[in-house]
Amino acid sequence: MHGAMPTLVKLRAGAMPTLVVGMFLPVVLAAALAPAAAAAEPKPPAGQPQPGPNNCILCHGNKDVWEGEQLKLFVTEADLAGDIHWQSGMRCQDCHGGNSRAEEVRQAHAAEDGFRKVASPKDVPEFCGKCHADIEYMRRYRPSPRTDQLAEYWTSDHGRQLKTAGDLKVATCISCHDRPHGSGAERAKHGVRPVSDPASLVYRTRVAKTCATCHSDQKLMAGRLYHAQPLPCDQYDKWTRSVHGKAMLEKGDLSAPTCNNCHGNHGAVPPQVDSVANACGTCHGKVAKLFAGTRMRHKFESEGLPGCATCHGSHEIHQPSDAMLGMQSGAVCARCHEQGKFGATLAGAETARKLRSDLERLKGGIEQAQDTLSEAERLGMEVSQPQFTLRKASDALTNARSLIHAFQPDPVEKALAGGQEVVAEVQEQADHALAEHTSRRIWLAASLAPILLVILLLLLYIRSLPAATGGAG
Amino acid sequence: MSPASPESTPEKRGWSGRLGAFFYQRLGLDGLAALAAKKHVPVHRTTLFYFLGGMALFLFAVQVATGILLSLYYKPSPDQAFESVRAIMTEVDFGWLFRSIHSWSANLLIGILFLHLLTTYMMRAYRRPREITWMTGVVLLGVFMAFGFSGYLLPWNQLSFFATRVGTAIAGSVPVIGKYALLMARGGEEITGDTLARFYALHVVILPLATIGLIGLHLFLVQKHGISSPEGVIRKHGGEERVPYMPFVPHFLLRDMVGWYLALGILAALAALFPWELGHKADPFGSAPAGIKPEWYFLFMFQALKQLPANLGGIEWLEGEMVGVLFFGFCGLVVLLVPYVDFGASRGRPRWVLNFLAALAVGFFIFMTAWGLR
């Protein structure tokens, strides 16, 4: 094929410095062609499809035209088949401008035809935003489109770094939505898929992995700071071990939070000290509301402690347990109240101890009632109603656990007392069921005795009857 | 029955004797006494089998008695059925006992009826002139199985709800009439409150009336034709009238009563030691419980139908389930018509083919039931 088109583009990286736009930028394809056009008057190669409505593909879909760094400009229709834009009927010129009907390179990439260069990652947000921030345009495709992604992006740490620090390694639109995967010429490109598509890199279950591509890369993160501390690279590993990560990755729970739920997506930033509770409260509304009205919240903020994360951690958040409450080893209350850190009081320590003790008492009561009910059920007694009632005690326990976030003992004690009342009622019913079972056995024995006596008397009477058999046999 | 006369009234002394004589005369019990005196029961090696009929009758009486008690508290609506049965089990005095006895007795009754059918077949008691006696017995077995099927749904628990859905769907696979039978049984496309109301009416009104009629006819025929003796016994003694016998009253009746008291004791023990469980309330929008299966006496059919492919021989209209249901329907018809299928019965010819098929059927029943219970 090379010989068949000696004058057509044979692009060399050294001859076109403006085309080197970075490893992750496949959309620069069109920009690469302009200087090359100046050096050659391309004609459609012999044997190739003749010019049609989309002549771009004649060159960009021909692998032999590209080599080295320029391979990123090689795009076939097969690559485009999975792209949401392509599927919506858009063609190259709809994003890149230019003249797709032109038969030679210069005409195809003429500025007067609106050809748009993507010379640098810096150009990408505005390139995509041209349409995605245009509500009139986007309404053609959806009745209620989001058009704030571009504005959000410029508020994100990614956007700020790109704009102000000129950091070309930060994520732009295509880093997450169309990052080439595979290697070399086999890399898929122009494969922007809808977020709802499980193959999309930003599909819910893949978001964390996509973020981790950069954020777990020690080389890429080296030298980057957050609150004057080196930016860690272990967030993804921690998240996979967290209750959230396990819910999503192991249980397939798509409602479990991943990176963007706490950090935002287009406007990704770490939640600040005063906004952590609000981020958690997006899902944990009740406890966030309770916490918001506490003195503890103001104390945390004044001490620079990040709300919920102070006790529960951030990325590696484990299933909360009652062991977190109290003053024993491993309890989170003890971290501050034991040594009076951040002004924590001994009275608070005593409250934590008492709440833990009462919590355990209710738990023990529920377990004991459940054991008795299970035993009664095993013996065949009908105990579905008390079993149902016992759920109220479990609900009270759950409620009390939530109310702990109000950092006031009274509501918790009230909830626990309600649970204890239910437990006492159910325990009585369960004991009654067991007693009833014993009573049934006694009554069975008592009723079998007269039955056997009657049988015995009948047999004796039958024996006393004359052998009244007839017939001639 | 001749009118009672003072001459035929036994001489009674004391107030109880006079009271007895009062009813004896007015109810014409002398006719009944004469009938009882005429009734004999053959005595031979397998006389024990004759007790099965009386045992079935006793268990039916238990069903009627406990069923009436349960009906005082049962509420046949989807909102209240489960709760009312739970209340019977937990709040009503001895409610647990009556419900458990009702359920255990129903199962024992079906088991006794199967044995009664089998032993009657073995003794070839359906020989002329007792063909209709046999057929009413077979129909009664079918009626009692319908009792079991309809009663199973009444507690409106998860297992019974889905078992009924499966059971009625199987009936719906019968060609031509299946669709209508399904609609009639369910009172619509799905199992709903209408189905519960229909099954309740079937269980406490329609089937009991049919049962009383059929039992009446069955007992009348037994009384009319007497109790059949096996052919071998007749041959051994040189004629049916020469076979030794015992009077029904009091000899056989007292022995019957021993069995009834024994059954009562067994029922009480089963109810006290293994109360019939209630399960969880039916949730029509929930998923069917794992390992769903019908009562044991339907299990052989259910298990067999499960093994059949969707289509036989790859023919689209030849649905496996439909063929299976038709096959079991045909088998039921053959059992009903055994007196006429056994061509040599009246001439005392051996029935090798029929015996082979019967043994095959019993083996199939036991194997499939055991497989289904596994």
Side-chain angles (χ1 to χ4, degrees), chain A residues 380 382 384-385 436 440 444 448 451 454-455 458 461-462 465-466 468-473, chain B residues 86 90 96 237 242-247 251 254-255 257-258 261-262 265 268-269 272 275 278:
Chain A
E382 169 52 40
S384 60
Q385 184 61 52
E436 165 90 12
R440 286 181 188 183
L444 173 65
L448 284 182
I451 287 174
V454 171
I455 290 174
L458 280 171
Y461 184 66
I462 289 166
L465 288 174
T469 52
Chain B
R86 187 167 61 193
T90 56
W96 63 272
H237 293 284
R242 294 173 64 84
V243 174
Y245 63 84
M246 69 170 92
H251 291 67
L254 287 172
R255 285 169 172 82
M257 284 172 70
V258 170
Y261 270 100
L262 207 58
L278 180 57

mmCIF file of all heavy atoms in Angstrom, chain A residues 380 382 384-385 436 440 444 448 451 454-455 458 461-462 465-466 468-473, chain B residues 86 90 96 237 242-247 251 254-255 257-258 261-262 265 268-269 272 275 278:
data_model
loop_
_atom_site.group_PDB
_atom_site.id
_atom_site.type_symbol
_atom_site.label_atom_id
_atom_site.label_comp_id
_atom_site.label_asym_id
_atom_site.label_seq_id
_atom_site.Cartn_x
_atom_site.Cartn_y
_atom_site.Cartn_z
ATOM 1 N N GLY A 380 -41.756 -27.639 67.355
ATOM 2 C CA GLY A 380 -43.018 -27.645 66.614
ATOM 3 C C GLY A 380 -44.028 -26.643 67.104
ATOM 4 O O GLY A 380 -45.186 -26.671 66.678
ATOM 5 N N GLU A 382 -45.888 -23.018 67.402
ATOM 6 C CA GLU A 382 -46.136 -21.915 66.482
ATOM 7 C C GLU A 382 -45.727 -20.601 67.152
ATOM 8 O O GLU A 382 -46.396 -20.138 68.082
ATOM 9 C CB GLU A 382 -47.625 -21.917 66.101
ATOM 10 C CG GLU A 382 -48.098 -20.693 65.366
ATOM 11 C CD GLU A 382 -47.264 -20.356 64.155
ATOM 12 O OE1 GLU A 382 -46.866 -21.259 63.426
ATOM 13 O OE2 GLU A 382 -46.988 -19.152 63.958
ATOM 14 N N SER A 384 -44.477 -17.805 65.181
ATOM 15 C CA SER A 384 -44.172 -16.815 64.146
ATOM 16 C C SER A 384 -44.522 -15.394 64.590
ATOM 17 O O SER A 384 -43.842 -14.440 64.217
ATOM 18 C CB SER A 384 -44.877 -17.159 62.832
ATOM 19 O OG SER A 384 -46.266 -17.182 63.020
ATOM 20 N N GLN A 385 -45.596 -15.266 65.391
ATOM 21 C CA GLN A 385 -45.990 -13.924 65.824
ATOM 22 C C GLN A 385 -44.928 -13.307 66.747
ATOM 23 O O GLN A 385 -44.473 -12.183 66.495
ATOM 24 C CB GLN A 385 -47.363 -13.982 66.508
ATOM 25 C CG GLN A 385 -47.905 -12.627 66.911
ATOM 26 C CD GLN A 385 -48.112 -11.713 65.711
ATOM 27 O OE1 GLN A 385 -48.758 -12.092 64.746
ATOM 28 N NE2 GLN A 385 -47.527 -10.521 65.740
ATOM 29 N N GLU A 436 -45.799 -24.654 77.344
ATOM 30 C CA GLU A 436 -46.950 -25.279 76.683
ATOM 31 C C GLU A 436 -46.547 -26.629 76.071
ATOM 32 O O GLU A 436 -47.292 -27.599 76.133
ATOM 33 C CB GLU A 436 -47.461 -24.322 75.597
ATOM 34 C CG GLU A 436 -48.409 -24.917 74.596
ATOM 35 C CD GLU A 436 -49.868 -24.795 75.020
ATOM 36 O OE1 GLU A 436 -50.119 -24.050 75.978
ATOM 37 O OE2 GLU A 436 -50.705 -25.462 74.415
ATOM 38 N N ARG A 440 -48.162 -30.139 76.971
ATOM 39 C CA ARG A 440 -48.787 -31.024 75.982
ATOM 40 C C ARG A 440 -48.350 -32.470 76.180
ATOM 41 O O ARG A 440 -49.134 -33.403 76.026
ATOM 42 C CB ARG A 440 -48.412 -30.576 74.565
ATOM 43 C CG ARG A 440 -49.129 -29.329 74.143
ATOM 44 C CD ARG A 440 -48.762 -28.935 72.742
ATOM 45 N NE ARG A 440 -49.305 -27.630 72.393
ATOM 46 C CZ ARG A 440 -49.184 -27.062 71.211
ATOM 47 N NH1 ARG A 440 -48.507 -27.672 70.256
ATOM 48 N NH2 ARG A 440 -49.705 -25.886 70.972
ATOM 49 N N LEU A 444 -50.678 -35.489 77.002
ATOM 50 C CA LEU A 444 -50.692 -36.633 76.087
ATOM 51 C C LEU A 444 -50.633 -37.929 76.896
ATOM 52 O O LEU A 444 -51.415 -38.862 76.666
ATOM 53 C CB LEU A 444 -49.504 -36.550 75.123
ATOM 54 C CG LEU A 444 -49.305 -37.777 74.228
ATOM 55 C CD1 LEU A 444 -50.487 -37.944 73.276
ATOM 56 C CD2 LEU A 444 -48.009 -37.671 73.428
ATOM 57 N N LEU A 448 -53.445 -40.724 76.992
ATOM 58 C CA LEU A 448 -53.161 -42.055 76.442
ATOM 59 C C LEU A 448 -53.499 -43.147 77.465
ATOM 60 O O LEU A 448 -53.895 -44.249 77.078
ATOM 61 C CB LEU A 448 -51.691 -42.162 76.034
ATOM 62 C CG LEU A 448 -51.303 -41.460 74.727
ATOM 63 C CD1 LEU A 448 -49.838 -41.692 74.406
ATOM 64 C CD2 LEU A 448 -52.162 -41.945 73.565
ATOM 65 N N ILE A 451 -57.109 -44.110 77.217
ATOM 66 C CA ILE A 451 -57.337 -44.752 75.912
ATOM 67 C C ILE A 451 -56.859 -46.193 75.961
ATOM 68 O O ILE A 451 -57.548 -47.130 75.535
ATOM 69 C CB ILE A 451 -56.624 -43.952 74.787
ATOM 70 C CG1 ILE A 451 -57.381 -42.646 74.524
ATOM 71 C CG2 ILE A 451 -56.534 -44.772 73.514
ATOM 72 C CD1 ILE A 451 -56.691 -41.713 73.552
ATOM 73 N N VAL A 454 -59.202 -48.307 77.990
ATOM 74 C CA VAL A 454 -60.417 -48.690 77.251
ATOM 75 C C VAL A 454 -60.099 -49.822 76.284
ATOM 76 O O VAL A 454 -60.866 -50.796 76.169
ATOM 77 C CB VAL A 454 -60.994 -47.463 76.497
ATOM 78 C CG1 VAL A 454 -62.104 -47.895 75.553
ATOM 79 C CG2 VAL A 454 -61.506 -46.430 77.474
ATOM 80 N N ILE A 455 -58.951 -49.707 75.614
ATOM 81 C CA ILE A 455 -58.549 -50.765 74.670
ATOM 82 C C ILE A 455 -58.414 -52.096 75.414
ATOM 83 O O ILE A 455 -58.890 -53.139 74.952
ATOM 84 C CB ILE A 455 -57.226 -50.377 73.960
ATOM 85 C CG1 ILE A 455 -57.488 -49.217 72.984
ATOM 86 C CG2 ILE A 455 -56.634 -51.562 73.227
ATOM 87 C CD1 ILE A 455 -56.237 -48.656 72.340
ATOM 88 N N LEU A 458 -61.794 -53.409 76.299
ATOM 89 C CA LEU A 458 -62.447 -53.942 75.102
ATOM 90 C C LEU A 458 -61.905 -55.331 74.757
ATOM 91 O O LEU A 458 -62.662 -56.249 74.432
ATOM 92 C CB LEU A 458 -62.229 -52.986 73.919
ATOM 93 C CG LEU A 458 -63.137 -51.749 73.852
ATOM 94 C CD1 LEU A 458 -62.658 -50.802 72.760
ATOM 95 C CD2 LEU A 458 -64.575 -52.176 73.558
ATOM 96 N N TYR A 461 -63.209 -57.813 77.098
ATOM 97 C CA TYR A 461 -64.618 -58.096 76.808
ATOM 98 C C TYR A 461 -64.740 -58.994 75.579
ATOM 99 O O TYR A 461 -65.555 -59.920 75.560
ATOM 100 C CB TYR A 461 -65.355 -56.768 76.601
ATOM 101 C CG TYR A 461 -66.838 -56.940 76.384
ATOM 102 C CD1 TYR A 461 -67.654 -57.424 77.414
ATOM 103 C CD2 TYR A 461 -67.418 -56.632 75.171
ATOM 104 C CE1 TYR A 461 -69.011 -57.600 77.229
ATOM 105 C CE2 TYR A 461 -68.784 -56.810 74.967
ATOM 106 C CZ TYR A 461 -69.574 -57.285 76.003
ATOM 107 O OH TYR A 461 -70.927 -57.452 75.796
ATOM 108 N N ILE A 462 -63.909 -58.689 74.575
ATOM 109 C CA ILE A 462 -63.941 -59.516 73.353
ATOM 110 C C ILE A 462 -63.580 -60.964 73.700
ATOM 111 O O ILE A 462 -64.188 -61.907 73.193
ATOM 112 C CB ILE A 462 -62.966 -58.940 72.296
ATOM 113 C CG1 ILE A 462 -63.529 -57.629 71.733
ATOM 114 C CG2 ILE A 462 -62.731 -59.927 71.158
ATOM 115 C CD1 ILE A 462 -62.518 -56.811 70.939
ATOM 116 N N LEU A 465 -66.418 -62.900 75.058
ATOM 117 C CA LEU A 465 -67.544 -63.214 74.176
ATOM 118 C C LEU A 465 -67.458 -64.664 73.726
ATOM 119 O O LEU A 465 -66.364 -65.204 73.554
ATOM 120 C CB LEU A 465 -67.514 -62.306 72.941
ATOM 121 C CG LEU A 465 -67.887 -60.838 73.146
ATOM 122 C CD1 LEU A 465 -67.654 -60.069 71.849
ATOM 123 C CD2 LEU A 465 -69.348 -60.724 73.550
ATOM 124 N N PRO A 466 -68.629 -65.277 73.488
ATOM 125 C CA PRO A 466 -68.574 -66.651 72.945
ATOM 126 C C PRO A 466 -67.987 -66.628 71.538
ATOM 127 O O PRO A 466 -68.144 -65.651 70.808
ATOM 128 C CB PRO A 466 -70.055 -67.063 72.910
ATOM 129 C CG PRO A 466 -70.810 -65.781 72.953
ATOM 130 C CD PRO A 466 -69.975 -64.805 73.702
ATOM 131 N N ALA A 468 -68.398 -66.823 68.525
ATOM 132 C CA ALA A 468 -69.597 -66.911 67.696
ATOM 133 C C ALA A 468 -69.252 -66.916 66.224
ATOM 134 O O ALA A 468 -69.520 -65.961 65.511
ATOM 135 C CB ALA A 468 -70.516 -65.750 68.030
ATOM 136 N N THR A 469 -68.635 -67.931 65.763
ATOM 137 C CA THR A 469 -68.357 -68.017 64.327
ATOM 138 C C THR A 469 -69.342 -68.963 63.685
ATOM 139 O O THR A 469 -69.678 -70.009 64.249
ATOM 140 C CB THR A 469 -66.936 -68.523 64.069
ATOM 141 O OG1 THR A 469 -66.754 -69.712 64.789
ATOM 142 C CG2 THR A 469 -65.902 -67.476 64.476
ATOM 143 N N GLY A 470 -69.806 -68.597 62.535
ATOM 144 C CA GLY A 470 -70.758 -69.429 61.827
ATOM 145 C C GLY A 470 -70.135 -70.093 60.634
ATOM 146 O O GLY A 470 -68.911 -70.210 60.543
ATOM 147 N N GLY A 471 -70.952 -70.516 59.669
ATOM 148 C CA GLY A 471 -70.449 -71.151 58.474
ATOM 149 C C GLY A 471 -70.208 -72.632 58.716
ATOM 150 O O GLY A 471 -70.303 -73.131 59.842
ATOM 151 N N ALA A 472 -69.863 -73.332 57.638
ATOM 152 C CA ALA A 472 -69.689 -74.776 57.745
ATOM 153 C C ALA A 472 -68.231 -75.181 57.762
ATOM 154 O O ALA A 472 -67.887 -76.343 57.746
ATOM 155 C CB ALA A 472 -70.406 -75.466 56.591
ATOM 156 N N GLY A 473 -67.336 -74.191 57.659
ATOM 157 C CA GLY A 473 -65.935 -74.466 57.538
ATOM 158 C C GLY A 473 -65.317 -75.046 58.754
ATOM 159 O O GLY A 473 -64.299 -75.663 58.683
ATOM 160 N N ARG B 86 -53.306 -19.085 62.470
ATOM 161 C CA ARG B 86 -52.299 -18.854 63.515
ATOM 162 C C ARG B 86 -52.973 -18.633 64.869
ATOM 163 O O ARG B 86 -52.513 -19.125 65.895
ATOM 164 C CB ARG B 86 -51.433 -17.648 63.164
ATOM 165 C CG ARG B 86 -50.267 -17.480 64.135
ATOM 166 C CD ARG B 86 -49.255 -16.503 63.622
ATOM 167 N NE ARG B 86 -49.828 -15.175 63.425
ATOM 168 C CZ ARG B 86 -49.248 -14.200 62.756
ATOM 169 N NH1 ARG B 86 -48.073 -14.413 62.200
ATOM 170 N NH2 ARG B 86 -49.801 -13.022 62.614
ATOM 171 N N THR B 90 -52.490 -20.706 68.306
ATOM 172 C CA THR B 90 -51.842 -20.080 69.458
ATOM 173 C C THR B 90 -52.808 -19.512 70.500
ATOM 174 O O THR B 90 -52.462 -19.413 71.668
ATOM 175 C CB THR B 90 -50.923 -18.930 68.998
ATOM 176 O OG1 THR B 90 -51.696 -18.008 68.230
ATOM 177 C CG2 THR B 90 -49.762 -19.432 68.173
ATOM 178 N N TRP B 96 -54.658 -25.800 68.595
ATOM 179 C CA TRP B 96 -53.494 -26.490 68.023
ATOM 180 C C TRP B 96 -53.768 -27.978 67.895
ATOM 181 O O TRP B 96 -53.378 -28.625 66.925
ATOM 182 C CB TRP B 96 -52.257 -26.263 68.899
ATOM 183 C CG TRP B 96 -52.403 -26.842 70.277
ATOM 184 C CD1 TRP B 96 -52.927 -26.237 71.361
ATOM 185 C CD2 TRP B 96 -52.039 -28.168 70.682
ATOM 186 N NE1 TRP B 96 -52.919 -27.082 72.433
ATOM 187 C CE2 TRP B 96 -52.376 -28.280 72.052
ATOM 188 C CE3 TRP B 96 -51.455 -29.256 70.037
ATOM 189 C CZ2 TRP B 96 -52.151 -29.444 72.789
ATOM 190 C CZ3 TRP B 96 -51.230 -30.410 70.752
ATOM 191 C CH2 TRP B 96 -51.578 -30.510 72.112
ATOM 192 N N HIS B 237 -63.447 -73.736 51.324
ATOM 193 C CA HIS B 237 -64.573 -74.152 52.149
ATOM 194 C C HIS B 237 -65.740 -74.672 51.324
ATOM 195 O O HIS B 237 -66.768 -75.048 51.892
ATOM 196 C CB HIS B 237 -65.041 -72.973 53.016
ATOM 197 C CG HIS B 237 -64.018 -72.567 54.044
ATOM 198 N ND1 HIS B 237 -63.790 -73.291 55.194
ATOM 199 C CD2 HIS B 237 -63.133 -71.547 54.083
ATOM 200 C CE1 HIS B 237 -62.830 -72.718 55.889
ATOM 201 N NE2 HIS B 237 -62.403 -71.654 55.216
ATOM 202 N N ARG B 242 -70.336 -71.207 53.136
ATOM 203 C CA ARG B 242 -69.727 -72.137 54.090
ATOM 204 C C ARG B 242 -68.473 -71.548 54.755
ATOM 205 O O ARG B 242 -67.858 -72.191 55.599
ATOM 206 C CB ARG B 242 -69.362 -73.445 53.370
ATOM 207 C CG ARG B 242 -70.598 -74.197 52.881
ATOM 208 C CD ARG B 242 -70.200 -75.378 52.024
ATOM 209 N NE ARG B 242 -69.457 -76.364 52.782
ATOM 210 C CZ ARG B 242 -70.012 -77.320 53.533
ATOM 211 N NH1 ARG B 242 -71.328 -77.394 53.649
ATOM 212 N NH2 ARG B 242 -69.263 -78.203 54.180
ATOM 213 N N VAL B 243 -68.115 -70.347 54.329
ATOM 214 C CA VAL B 243 -66.928 -69.694 54.924
ATOM 215 C C VAL B 243 -67.258 -69.283 56.361
ATOM 216 O O VAL B 243 -68.325 -68.704 56.603
ATOM 217 C CB VAL B 243 -66.543 -68.436 54.104
ATOM 218 C CG1 VAL B 243 -65.406 -67.672 54.807
ATOM 219 C CG2 VAL B 243 -66.124 -68.816 52.696
ATOM 220 N N PRO B 244 -66.380 -69.584 57.340
ATOM 221 C CA PRO B 244 -66.658 -69.195 58.722
ATOM 222 C C PRO B 244 -66.829 -67.679 58.845
ATOM 223 O O PRO B 244 -66.208 -66.929 58.104
ATOM 224 C CB PRO B 244 -65.408 -69.638 59.484
ATOM 225 C CG PRO B 244 -64.724 -70.600 58.609
ATOM 226 C CD PRO B 244 -65.090 -70.278 57.209
ATOM 227 N N TYR B 245 -67.647 -67.274 59.747
ATOM 228 C CA TYR B 245 -67.860 -65.840 59.912
ATOM 229 C C TYR B 245 -68.068 -65.513 61.386
ATOM 230 O O TYR B 245 -68.292 -66.389 62.205
ATOM 231 C CB TYR B 245 -69.070 -65.378 59.104
ATOM 232 C CG TYR B 245 -70.368 -65.992 59.529
ATOM 233 C CD1 TYR B 245 -71.112 -65.456 60.604
ATOM 234 C CD2 TYR B 245 -70.879 -67.121 58.882
ATOM 235 C CE1 TYR B 245 -72.291 -66.030 61.009
ATOM 236 C CE2 TYR B 245 -72.052 -67.700 59.284
ATOM 237 C CZ TYR B 245 -72.765 -67.156 60.356
ATOM 238 O OH TYR B 245 -73.951 -67.734 60.762
ATOM 239 N N MET B 246 -67.982 -64.213 61.656
ATOM 240 C CA MET B 246 -68.326 -63.733 62.993
ATOM 241 C C MET B 246 -69.397 -62.659 62.833
ATOM 242 O O MET B 246 -69.444 -61.989 61.794
ATOM 243 C CB MET B 246 -67.099 -63.150 63.707
ATOM 244 C CG MET B 246 -66.607 -61.852 63.118
ATOM 245 S SD MET B 246 -65.362 -61.065 64.163
ATOM 246 C CE MET B 246 -63.857 -61.708 63.499
ATOM 247 N N PRO B 247 -70.292 -62.543 63.812
ATOM 248 C CA PRO B 247 -71.313 -61.487 63.707
ATOM 249 C C PRO B 247 -70.652 -60.105 63.732
ATOM 250 O O PRO B 247 -69.657 -59.924 64.440
ATOM 251 C CB PRO B 247 -72.172 -61.683 64.955
ATOM 252 C CG PRO B 247 -71.652 -62.874 65.658
ATOM 253 C CD PRO B 247 -70.368 -63.273 65.066
ATOM 254 N N HIS B 251 -69.104 -58.761 67.784
ATOM 255 C CA HIS B 251 -67.736 -59.265 67.654
ATOM 256 C C HIS B 251 -66.830 -58.368 66.814
ATOM 257 O O HIS B 251 -65.754 -57.958 67.242
ATOM 258 C CB HIS B 251 -67.759 -60.684 67.051
ATOM 259 C CG HIS B 251 -68.338 -61.688 67.972
ATOM 260 N ND1 HIS B 251 -69.671 -61.688 68.355
ATOM 261 C CD2 HIS B 251 -67.784 -62.747 68.614
ATOM 262 C CE1 HIS B 251 -69.898 -62.689 69.179
ATOM 263 N NE2 HIS B 251 -68.756 -63.364 69.350
ATOM 264 N N LEU B 254 -66.620 -54.507 68.060
ATOM 265 C CA LEU B 254 -65.746 -54.287 69.222
ATOM 266 C C LEU B 254 -64.278 -54.275 68.792
ATOM 267 O O LEU B 254 -63.475 -53.482 69.278
ATOM 268 C CB LEU B 254 -65.981 -55.366 70.279
ATOM 269 C CG LEU B 254 -67.304 -55.238 71.054
ATOM 270 C CD1 LEU B 254 -67.527 -56.449 71.940
ATOM 271 C CD2 LEU B 254 -67.284 -53.978 71.907
ATOM 272 N N ARG B 255 -63.956 -55.168 67.868
ATOM 273 C CA ARG B 255 -62.568 -55.186 67.359
ATOM 274 C C ARG B 255 -62.273 -53.891 66.584
ATOM 275 O O ARG B 255 -61.180 -53.347 66.649
ATOM 276 C CB ARG B 255 -62.358 -56.411 66.474
ATOM 277 C CG ARG B 255 -62.232 -57.703 67.257
ATOM 278 C CD ARG B 255 -62.284 -58.925 66.327
ATOM 279 N NE ARG B 255 -61.986 -60.164 67.033
ATOM 280 C CZ ARG B 255 -62.881 -60.851 67.753
ATOM 281 N NH1 ARG B 255 -64.136 -60.396 67.861
ATOM 282 N NH2 ARG B 255 -62.540 -61.962 68.359
ATOM 283 N N MET B 257 -63.584 -51.104 67.225
ATOM 284 C CA MET B 257 -63.439 -50.038 68.221
ATOM 285 C C MET B 257 -62.042 -50.031 68.837
ATOM 286 O O MET B 257 -61.495 -48.964 69.158
ATOM 287 C CB MET B 257 -64.505 -50.175 69.318
ATOM 288 C CG MET B 257 -65.887 -49.716 68.855
ATOM 289 S SD MET B 257 -67.175 -50.077 70.034
ATOM 290 C CE MET B 257 -66.760 -48.935 71.343
ATOM 291 N N VAL B 258 -61.487 -51.221 68.971
ATOM 292 C CA VAL B 258 -60.100 -51.290 69.463
ATOM 293 C C VAL B 258 -59.198 -50.501 68.506
ATOM 294 O O VAL B 258 -58.364 -49.695 68.923
ATOM 295 C CB VAL B 258 -59.633 -52.762 69.577
ATOM 296 C CG1 VAL B 258 -58.125 -52.817 69.841
ATOM 297 C CG2 VAL B 258 -60.386 -53.472 70.672
ATOM 298 N N TYR B 261 -59.807 -46.687 68.844
ATOM 299 C CA TYR B 261 -59.150 -46.101 70.029
ATOM 300 C C TYR B 261 -57.631 -46.016 69.818
ATOM 301 O O TYR B 261 -56.984 -45.055 70.224
ATOM 302 C CB TYR B 261 -59.469 -46.923 71.281
ATOM 303 C CG TYR B 261 -60.716 -46.439 71.966
ATOM 304 C CD1 TYR B 261 -61.932 -47.090 71.787
ATOM 305 C CD2 TYR B 261 -60.675 -45.319 72.782
ATOM 306 C CE1 TYR B 261 -63.092 -46.631 72.399
ATOM 307 C CE2 TYR B 261 -61.827 -44.850 73.400
ATOM 308 C CZ TYR B 261 -63.042 -45.507 73.200
ATOM 309 O OH TYR B 261 -64.183 -45.038 73.805
ATOM 310 N N LEU B 262 -57.127 -47.060 69.173
ATOM 311 C CA LEU B 262 -55.688 -47.049 68.871
ATOM 312 C C LEU B 262 -55.351 -45.858 67.961
ATOM 313 O O LEU B 262 -54.373 -45.126 68.187
ATOM 314 C CB LEU B 262 -55.325 -48.361 68.169
ATOM 315 C CG LEU B 262 -53.901 -48.859 68.309
ATOM 316 C CD1 LEU B 262 -53.543 -49.058 69.773
ATOM 317 C CD2 LEU B 262 -53.710 -50.156 67.527
ATOM 318 N N GLY B 265 -55.383 -42.642 69.868
ATOM 319 C CA GLY B 265 -54.147 -42.472 70.631
ATOM 320 C C GLY B 265 -52.997 -42.033 69.743
ATOM 321 O O GLY B 265 -52.219 -41.132 70.096
ATOM 322 N N ALA B 268 -53.468 -38.409 68.767
ATOM 323 C CA ALA B 268 -53.151 -37.510 69.887
ATOM 324 C C ALA B 268 -51.630 -37.383 70.047
ATOM 325 O O ALA B 268 -51.103 -36.275 70.253
ATOM 326 C CB ALA B 268 -53.775 -38.036 71.171
ATOM 327 N N ALA B 269 -50.944 -38.528 69.916
ATOM 328 C CA ALA B 269 -49.483 -38.500 70.066
ATOM 329 C C ALA B 269 -48.839 -37.697 68.939
ATOM 330 O O ALA B 269 -47.945 -36.869 69.174
ATOM 331 C CB ALA B 269 -48.947 -39.922 70.069
ATOM 332 N N ALA B 272 -49.469 -33.996 69.498
ATOM 333 C CA ALA B 272 -48.729 -33.398 70.617
ATOM 334 C C ALA B 272 -47.226 -33.356 70.340
ATOM 335 O O ALA B 272 -46.554 -32.381 70.700
ATOM 336 C CB ALA B 272 -49.000 -34.190 71.888
ATOM 337 N N PRO B 275 -46.661 -31.233 66.073
ATOM 338 C CA PRO B 275 -47.757 -30.345 65.645
ATOM 339 C C PRO B 275 -47.587 -29.946 64.175
ATOM 340 O O PRO B 275 -46.456 -29.733 63.729
ATOM 341 C CB PRO B 275 -47.608 -29.122 66.551
ATOM 342 C CG PRO B 275 -46.621 -29.484 67.593
ATOM 343 C CD PRO B 275 -45.833 -30.636 67.115
ATOM 344 N N LEU B 278 -47.220 -24.352 60.452
ATOM 345 C CA LEU B 278 -48.008 -23.353 59.723
ATOM 346 C C LEU B 278 -47.213 -22.691 58.600
ATOM 347 O O LEU B 278 -47.757 -22.323 57.565
ATOM 348 C CB LEU B 278 -48.507 -22.286 60.714
ATOM 349 C CG LEU B 278 -49.358 -21.153 60.153
ATOM 350 C CD1 LEU B 278 -50.590 -21.709 59.447
ATOM 351 C CD2 LEU B 278 -49.789 -20.216 61.262
#
